[in-house]
Amino acid sequence: MMTPVHKKVVDLPPEMQSFNALNAYELGRDHIRVACQLSDVHEEVGEVAILRISMISMGVDLEDAFDEFAMAFHSTRTHRDVLLEIGGLVRLHTNSGWRTDVLKSSFLIGAYSLDTLADFVFGDDGHIWRFDGASAWSQDTVEASDRIFDMHGLSKDRLYAVGGNVLILKSRGRSWDRIEVRIGTDFRCVLVENDRVLVAGDHGIAGYLKDDEFVLFETSIESDILSICSFRGDIYFADSDFGVHVLSANAFEPVANLGYTYRLNANEWLTAACGEYIFQFDGASWRGIELSYSGGYKAEPFDTTFIK
């Protein structure tokens, strides 16, 4: 018997599907917005979907869907979205709708927006592309050729990016200067917070840059740190093994054993994306949902009593 050929991933039975949330954002007290990748287990066919979900009723509204494989999704509170897909395809959503561009870059990994000031995508070979109201994306000048994983900033004058081979970059207009740091490995995430620039990455490395000094934290973990977030005056870190940690003085304390945790975002809740699971923390307790696809995108409440 010949194996049926499926042209769309939504035609596959659930046991042949792979589900992964790219990013999740709080819309209000009890609503979230999630960009997720649905694919077959061999990643031959896929769909990226943007969902609005009620954390109370478990109602799911499909906002947009694209027959592509996605790398990253970034959204601002003004709902300015950047969706980054395989092959250098960038979708930018503003009040006027989606625009689609294909950039000449070998492999784009991440996206970031300084609200309505400028949008950025970045990845291999030190490539940073910028859209700041011009008619097209343009490439910044970067004094490095390492892979760039993450970007964060408070303004155009206080904007940083991090990447492979202990890469830390600071924006100076349309160019980026490398800041020399001799401690660490590949940096995966960055958070600009007041007068500090916090960075973290592979093998549990984490610390902060203040002026010309780089100070290491005592993380006591060996897994890769993938995300940093400020929530209610504290700094939280997510890693590829345990879940969520909080910074106490210059050391890490475990908060929640969620397993592989890829993204943290915060407003009234601390929101964590963990594969097909989304968890939220209000400072005292956790709630969670499990996402799936079966004739449509679905959300079900997930028991969080296991979280320690």
Side-chain angles (χ1 to χ4, degrees):
M1 179 181 294
M2 294 183 63
T3 302
V5 176
H6 295 275
K7 294 184 179 180
K8 294 179 72 67
V9 67
V10 295
D11 297 331
L12 293 172
E15 64 270 16
M16 295 180 65
Q17 295 173 346
S18 175
F19 201 107
N20 182 57
L22 297 171
N23 219 332
Y25 295 89
E26 174 188 343
L27 286 177
R29 175 66 191 174
D30 293 316
H31 290 81
I32 61 172
R33 190 162 179 255
V34 181
C36 57
Q37 177 74 65
L38 182 68
S39 68
D40 68 303
V41 293
H42 302 295
E43 296 188 345
E44 294 176 345
V45 289
E47 173 178 285
V48 58
I50 302 174
L51 312 174
R52 290 173 178 254
I53 302 169
S54 167
M55 296 294 288
I56 302 300
S57 71
M58 300 292 117
V60 178
D61 293 322
L62 176 61
E63 189 175 300
D64 284 294
F66 306 98
D67 289 325
E68 300 288 349
F69 287 92
M71 288 298 299
F73 177 75
H74 183 84
S75 180
T76 67
R77 293 182 183 179
T78 56
H79 291 176
R80 187 175 182 88
D81 303 331
V82 184
L83 178 63
L84 186 59
E85 300 173 13
I86 297 291
L89 194 151
V90 180
R91 300 186 192 271
L92 174 64
H93 184 268
T94 63
N95 292 332
S96 57
W98 290 97
R99 64 169 285 161
T100 302
D101 298 274
V102 179
L103 305 184
K104 295 179 180 179
S105 189
S106 57
F107 191 60
L108 294 172
I109 297 171
Y112 183 70
S113 292
L114 272 173
D115 236 342
T116 58
L117 298 176
D119 305 288
F120 301 87
V121 294
F122 41 86
D124 268 5
D125 306 321
H127 286 182
I128 295 178
W129 296 78
R130 176 188 303 237
F131 186 85
D132 56 5
S135 59
W137 292 82
S138 58
Q139 194 169 355
D140 283 4
T141 301
V142 181
E143 296 299 324
S145 58
D146 301 286
R147 178 175 288 188
I148 299 172
F149 289 112
D150 196 23
M151 183 183 295
H152 188 260
L154 303 176
S155 66
K156 286 186 176 181
D157 297 327
R158 191 154 173 73
L159 181 64
Y160 291 81
V162 297
N165 193 25
V166 295
L167 179 66
I168 302 178
L169 298 169
K170 182 176 182 180
S171 173
R172 302 189 188 280
R174 295 300 304 259
S175 64
W176 295 75
D177 294 341
R178 183 166 192 157
I179 299 173
E180 293 298 330
V181 176
R182 302 185 183 277
I183 303 173
T185 177
D186 291 354
F187 289 136
R188 298 280 176 174
C189 48
V190 58
L191 173 69
V192 183
E193 190 233 13
N194 299 325
D195 61 342
R196 297 190 302 178
V197 180
L198 296 102
V199 297
D202 290 359
H203 312 302
I205 190 73
Y208 68 89
L209 182 71
K210 185 176 181 180
D211 299 326
D212 295 327
E213 182 182 11
F214 185 71
V215 179
L216 281 175
F217 297 134
E218 297 176 10
T219 68
S220 301
I221 62 175
E222 298 180 356
S223 53
D224 299 336
I225 302 173
L226 304 176
S227 188
I228 313 173
C229 189
S230 176
F231 176 61
R232 297 192 175 183
D234 290 317
I235 305 297
Y236 290 81
F237 295 79
D239 77 327
S240 60
D241 181 27
F242 174 80
V244 179
H245 312 258
V246 67
L247 184 64
S248 178
N250 272 4
F252 275 26
E253 291 184 359
V255 173
N257 186 1
L258 307 179
Y260 177 82
T261 304
Y262 180 62
R263 286 290 183 222
L264 295 176
N265 290 294
N267 191 7
E268 189 173 348
W269 295 83
L270 179 69
T271 301
C274 313
E276 66 269 38
Y277 305 101
I278 306 297
F279 296 104
Q280 288 192 306
F281 180 59
D282 64 1
S285 60
W286 289 84
R287 66 182 181 182
I289 59 171
E290 181 177 4
L291 301 174
S292 63
Y293 186 94
S294 179
Y297 288 94
K298 301 182 184 303
E300 295 180 328
F302 189 78
D303 183 8
T304 56
T305 57
F306 76 96
I307 297 177
K308 298 179 181 179

